[in-house]
Amino acid sequence: MKISVVGVGYVGLVTAACFSEFGLNVTCLDVDEARIELLNRGEIPFYEPGLKEIVQKNMGEERLTFTTDPSSCVPNSLVIFIAVGTPPLENGAADLTYVREVAATIGRLMKSYKVIVTKSTVPVGTGEEIAKVIRGNQNEELPFDIVSNPEFLREGSAIEDFMRPDRVVIGAESERAAETMKDLFRPLYLRDTPFVLTDIKTAEMIKYASNAFLATKVSFINEVANLCDLAGADVHVVAKAMGLDGRIGSKFLHPGPGFGGSCFPKDTSAFAEMADSLGYDLKIVKSVIEVNRAQRKRMVE
């Protein structure tokens, strides 16, 4: 099966490399010529343990290629992953400009049935918007399916997270698309990986809800840490004891300067903004954001 991954940032490159390791023919597409040239030399634009070796191995076996020309891969790929960035706008909402651009390109170049998969973190309802953009750019009416397949990769262990995930979420509206996705992930079926098969909107919501909950654990333990400072208690022992409760778990209960990185700040803001647009006030998530913001100043103090 031939697939394409549009966007060779962190998520896109890890996704492409791991699928090629599964034995699929993968073409990576990006508008950044310098990045594509770097990758074509077998170099990686960021560090992730084990990634360089997988990329070089599958390039050598001609299963993984890189290009800036969409016409060389979009028409020939059955499945196209959208893995471009969704940076925050001034109001905190996700900027879907790059997602729309990719959808328009797919619409113009497709010549047969495609499964278009969203890997980028996007607000609920984006799948419908992608479908509209594709239809609006088609030269002739051709069938396609939209799928939401959110990623849950952690920096530093992304290869392991892809190869041995806690779960695989597939949001699809047609049996054909769902079966195609299951074919892609067949090696994980053999490892008894839990699969969550649902509709597109639910899959889109799962990603935001998961990140928001993990961010909540970070802000919560920092609130407890601040209280421990005032009361003279040891937050590390408190966190350890809390983590031993199976209902709570120890992960992300680490007091410190708060959460950062490429996902939690923008995803919690986008989640809260999405709720506002639907007329609902996400009070807990907004508090998580505020606690995280204040924690930076408290660390200086």
Side-chain angles (χ1 to χ4, degrees), residues 174-188:
S174 80
E175 187 64 27
R176 183 180 185 182
E179 288 302 317
T180 300
M181 293 299 294
K182 285 192 278 187
D183 281 345
L184 286 182
F185 285 104
R186 187 170 299 281
L188 300 186

Side-chain angles (χ1 to χ4, degrees), residues 58-130:
N58 285 283
M59 286 179 68
E61 295 176 359
E62 299 184 346
R63 284 197 299 265
L64 182 62
T65 56
F66 302 93
T67 184
T68 58
D69 180 15
S71 64
S72 69
C73 57
V74 170
N76 303 319
S77 297
L78 172 60
V79 182
I80 303 170
F81 285 86
I82 300 176
V84 295
T86 53
L89 295 167
E90 285 187 12
N91 65 353
D95 185 351
L96 300 179
T97 300
Y98 302 127
V99 173
R100 295 189 192 98
E101 288 176 356
V102 174
T105 300
I106 293 171
R108 286 193 298 271
L109 295 176
M110 65 184 294
K111 297 177 181 177
S112 59
Y113 171 77
K114 308 287 177 197
V115 177
I116 296 96
V117 186
T118 310
K119 267 286 183 193
S120 304
T121 302
V122 295
V124 174
T126 301
E128 293 176 346
E129 188 171 349
I130 291 172

Side-chain angles (χ1 to χ4, degrees), residues 42-254:
E43 298 298 320
I44 307 298
F46 52 83
Y47 178 70
E48 177 62 35
L51 182 59
K52 185 174 182 178
E53 291 77 9
I54 291 179
V55 168
Q56 291 179 343
K57 172 192 171 187
N58 285 283
M59 286 179 68
E61 295 176 359
E62 299 184 346
R63 284 197 299 265
L64 182 62
T65 56
F66 302 93
T67 184
T68 58
D69 180 15
S71 64
S72 69
C73 57
V74 170
N76 303 319
S77 297
L78 172 60
V79 182
I80 303 170
F81 285 86
I82 300 176
V84 295
T86 53
L89 295 167
E90 285 187 12
N91 65 353
D95 185 351
L96 300 179
T97 300
Y98 302 127
V99 173
R100 295 189 192 98
E101 288 176 356
V102 174
T105 300
I106 293 171
R108 286 193 298 271
L109 295 176
M110 65 184 294
K111 297 177 181 177
S112 59
Y113 171 77
K114 308 287 177 197
V115 177
I116 296 96
V117 186
T118 310
K119 267 286 183 193
S120 304
T121 302
V122 295
V124 174
T126 301
E128 293 176 346
E129 188 171 349
I130 291 172
K132 255 185 227 180
V133 173
I134 291 174
R135 289 191 197 98
N137 283 272
Q138 284 183 329
N139 297 312
E140 58 178 308
E141 190 173 336
L142 294 168
F144 63 89
D145 279 309
I146 303 296
V147 170
S148 175
N149 175 223
E151 54 83 19
F152 301 99
L153 306 177
R154 297 167 297 167
E155 291 186 19
S157 59
I159 304 299
E160 179 71 12
D161 288 345
F162 193 99
M163 297 295 192
R164 291 174 176 79
D166 294 327
R167 76 289 202 196
V168 174
V169 176
I170 297 173
E173 308 293 344
S174 80
E175 187 64 27
R176 183 180 185 182
E179 288 302 317
T180 300
M181 293 299 294
K182 285 192 278 187
D183 281 345
L184 286 182
F185 285 104
R186 187 170 299 281
L188 300 186
Y189 261 99
L190 300 177
R191 297 173 187 159
D192 294 324
T193 302
F195 275 68
V196 179
L197 300 176
T198 184
D199 58 89
I200 295 170
K201 288 184 177 180
T202 302
E204 292 170 337
M205 184 67 81
I206 287 169
K207 171 63 175 179
Y208 273 125
S210 297
N211 276 5
F213 186 79
L214 293 174
T216 299
K217 292 185 74 172
V218 175
S219 284
F220 179 84
I221 199 61
N222 280 332
E223 287 270 74
V224 173
N226 296 337
L227 189 59
C228 284
D229 286 343
L230 296 171
D234 188 335
V235 68
H236 298 289
V237 178
V238 171
K240 181 178 180 180
M242 289 175 60
L244 292 172
D245 188 325
R247 299 166 300 175
I248 297 173
S250 61
K251 292 181 179 178
F252 288 81
L253 284 181
H254 304 293

